[in-house]
Structure formats: C-alpha cells, structure tokens
Amino acid sequence: MIFLVRHDWNRLAKLYRTQEAPPLNFSRMNSGSVGLVYYKGTLNVGTIFKGFI
C-alpha cells in the first residue's frame, strides 16, 4: 500500500514564517523526518536560545 501526501508549501511557509534573521549556525538542505514524513535535502535548520527554527 502506498500513501501519497500532498503538501501545500505556500500554506506551510505562511504558517511557519519568521521575521527574525537566520541564526549564525543556520544550515540549509538537510534531510530528516518530521512525524511520518521524510524530507531529503529540503530542511533548513538552525538553533537559537529559545529552541529550533
């Protein structure tokens, strides 16, 4: 059985948009899982004192 997940990237960008500048340790094009969905080379990750961005 194959599950297809449709992502509305514009909607996600609006929901998780930040006005803060990227942290110094900001890293682009990472891979990883968010819940049951695996993202290959599409995650941008950085950390600040408050947590992950």
Side-chain angles (χ1 to χ4, degrees):
M1 189 178 282
I2 298 174
F3 291 95
L4 299 176
V5 179
R6 181 176 172 263
H7 295 284
D8 185 348
W9 295 112
N10 289 325
R11 183 173 156 253
L12 288 173
K14 288 177 185 176
L15 285 173
Y16 296 103
R17 178 174 293 161
T18 181
Q19 299 301 321
E20 296 181 29
L24 295 176
N25 63 352
F26 190 72
S27 177
R28 297 181 187 273
M29 304 299 290
N30 291 287
S31 299
S33 295
V34 178
L36 298 175
V37 181
Y38 182 75
Y39 297 91
K40 184 177 181 182
T42 57
L43 296 176
N44 298 324
V45 180
T47 58
I48 59 173
F49 180 72
K50 295 178 186 177
F52 288 101
I53 298 182

